[in-house]
Amino acid sequence: MSEIGLNPSVALLDFAFTYPFKLLSKEGVRQIRAELTRKEVQQHCRFETRRNPYAIRGVWKYSPFLVNLWRSQEATEAVSQAVGYPLLLNQLDWDLGHVNAEVSADYPNEFNPPHAVTQNLEAMLPPEHIKSPAATFRKNFTTEHYNDAFVAESYNGYDDAQKFTDFWHVDDYPFVCVVMLSDSSQFEGGETAIRTNRGGVIELKFPEAGYAVMIQGRYVAHCARRALNAKERITMIPTYIPADVMEEDTTFLDAAKGNSHLGELFQQWSLYRFERLAKRVDQYTKQRIKDQIVAGTFNKHEIMEECDRLIAYLEQTKQQITWPDESLVTLQ
Ligand SMILES: [Fe+2]
């Protein structure tokens, strides 16, 4: 963070991104692609939104392989090691194995089989709930931690902005892993681009399928660039929160609301937020309150600060599921 001109104190740690590293073997990539192109996945898990015309989500119901892969200790250890910080897989099953796919319609592709069904759940949402970070930040990008107004088009001019798959944005989840699932060895473009806070852009080029990058995406603006000469650019994006329950968890549901079945998403959200809260309260009680009792002390200021953190956590938990029209929150 500090090396690219961002203040690390706004984030969880002084880490912005890794360069691409090999995460998956060729067989791993082949098997993931086989899972994603299975008929039931293509019929139930394809979603389009205004921001993203082709996402695959909700695969946890159909693919034990992907569940086992991303919940495995090995995968979590690999990404934690890359960041140098203990991570926990995003607890929302709806996001397990999220895929962004860009597939040329000009060629036959296993990712565009004739039986595919694409759902648009975002179209049913009231406008105030369509909060794409990209739509918000497209022009004059500025967040509380970027000190210069940023216009996406200023990077190599407007024409080049057309080559972005996505707009400059920050993510809803603290850490994201971008895993390349297409043969990127001959890509012209196709990078994940990182916005520094000194007016520059750093391009992360994936050498081949199976390579991944880690980004502290909640705090570092980034976007994906189109692969101009390729028939497809498919990435899988497992997301992560801090493993330590005493660390802040700034997860939002803005993007997930647009392409998930809301009843299930909110069930999973409530379970994860309350389980994390319970662990935090338990740990705090054992470590801070009982310790003070044993030591015969009482630090009122410290306890009140923890109350404020718990209140903020619960406010955030509640705010994400506040919903004006209950009829939209159905269980499928
Ligand atoms: Fe992102």
Side-chain angles (χ1 to χ4, degrees):
M1 295 278 288
S2 37
E3 274 176 40
I4 61 169
L6 285 164
N7 180 355
S9 73
V10 302
L12 290 159
L13 70 161
D14 193 2
F15 162 86
F17 63 89
T18 69
Y19 284 97
F21 60 95
K22 178 101 175 169
L23 181 66
L24 299 168
S25 63
K26 281 196 164 56
E27 300 97 287
V29 171
R30 209 166 34 233
Q31 188 58 38
I32 290 179
R33 292 179 62 101
E35 299 290 319
L36 297 173
T37 50
R38 278 168 46 194
K39 193 172 183 184
E40 49 185 355
V41 169
Q42 286 291 320
Q43 287 186 326
H44 298 285
C45 302
R46 283 178 64 141
F47 295 90
E48 63 176 331
T49 61
R50 205 176 39 163
R51 177 183 175 192
N52 187 351
Y54 185 171
I56 301 178
R57 292 174 55 76
V59 295
W60 97 96
K61 286 184 198 171
Y62 305 99
S63 173
F65 175 83
L66 288 171
V67 170
N68 292 333
L69 168 66
W70 294 117
R71 285 194 193 152
S72 74
Q73 209 184 331
E74 289 87 347
T76 305
E77 263 169 23
V79 295
S80 298
Q81 215 169 68
V83 175
Y85 181 78
L87 298 171
L88 181 71
L89 181 69
N90 180 345
Q91 301 291 285
L92 299 163
D93 285 335
W94 258 96
D95 258 281
L96 187 145
H98 173 103
V99 166
N100 290 333
E102 207 188 310
V103 182
S104 167
D106 300 340
Y107 308 90
N109 189 309
E110 56 190 328
F111 275 80
N112 268 337
H115 53 256
V117 176
T118 301
Q119 303 174 63
N120 187 338
L121 300 177
E122 187 190 60
M124 299 189 300
L125 298 187
E128 66 269 27
H129 283 280
I130 301 173
K131 283 191 192 166
S132 157
T136 312
F137 293 145
R138 175 72 205 263
K139 284 187 190 292
N140 297 322
F141 181 92
T142 177
T143 69
E144 67 275 20
H145 52 280
Y146 273 80
N147 56 29
D148 52 344
F150 175 49
V151 182
E153 288 86 341
S154 68
Y155 174 51
N156 285 348
Y158 183 75
D159 285 348
D160 199 66
Q162 301 305 303
K163 297 173 190 164
F164 292 121
T165 294
D166 199 355
F167 305 143
W168 292 99
H169 67 278
V170 291
D171 298 317
D172 285 350
Y173 305 118
F175 294 89
V176 298
C177 178
V178 183
V179 189
M180 179 53 68
L181 296 179
S182 298
D183 176 11
S184 54
S185 57
Q186 306 299 319
F187 271 8
E188 229 177 83
E191 305 90 355
T192 289
I194 302 285
R195 163 75 178 148
T196 77
N197 203 19
R198 298 192 175 110
V201 170
I202 297 169
E203 290 172 350
L204 307 178
K205 211 170 174 51
F206 298 90
E208 59 180 18
Y211 274 75
V213 297
M214 289 297 298
I215 309 171
Q216 196 175 191
R218 179 75 222 155
Y219 307 98
V220 179
H222 57 275
C223 73
R225 299 189 71 208
R226 265 183 220 298
L228 297 170
N229 59 339
K231 294 172 185 168
E232 58 158 69
R233 180 193 191 277
I234 297 167
T235 53
M236 181 168 273
I237 303 157
T239 44
Y240 294 88
I241 60 176
D244 182 353
V245 293
M246 298 309 289
E247 287 283 5
E248 192 184 1
D249 174 8
T250 53
T251 296
F252 285 83
L253 288 183
D254 288 348
K257 280 179 190 171
N259 52 16
S260 311
H261 293 151
L262 288 177
E264 284 173 351
L265 181 71
F266 291 169
Q267 278 180 338
Q268 292 167 7
W269 171 256
S270 308
L271 180 66
Y272 129 63
R273 295 293 284 190
F274 277 77
E275 279 185 347
R276 190 172 175 93
L277 178 73
K279 281 183 196 148
R280 183 181 176 119
V281 169
D282 186 51
Q283 201 168 312
Y284 190 85
T285 308
K286 283 184 184 134
Q287 287 176 358
R288 307 303 307 167
I289 300 182
K290 287 187 180 166
D291 279 4
Q292 288 189 27
I293 291 171
V294 170
T297 58
F298 180 64
N299 187 337
K300 177 181 154 185
H301 182 68
E302 191 201 304
I303 303 277
M304 286 173 86
E305 269 186 355
E306 178 63 7
C307 289
D308 287 339
R309 283 190 288 265
L310 294 175
I311 290 166
Y313 180 92
L314 277 169
E315 284 288 353
Q316 162 90 349
T317 302
K318 185 178 153 191
Q319 203 253 326
Q320 297 307 301
I321 54 172
T322 303
W323 204 255
D325 184 350
E326 292 305 324
S327 71
L328 292 166
V329 187
T330 53
L331 286 166
Q332 301 290 316

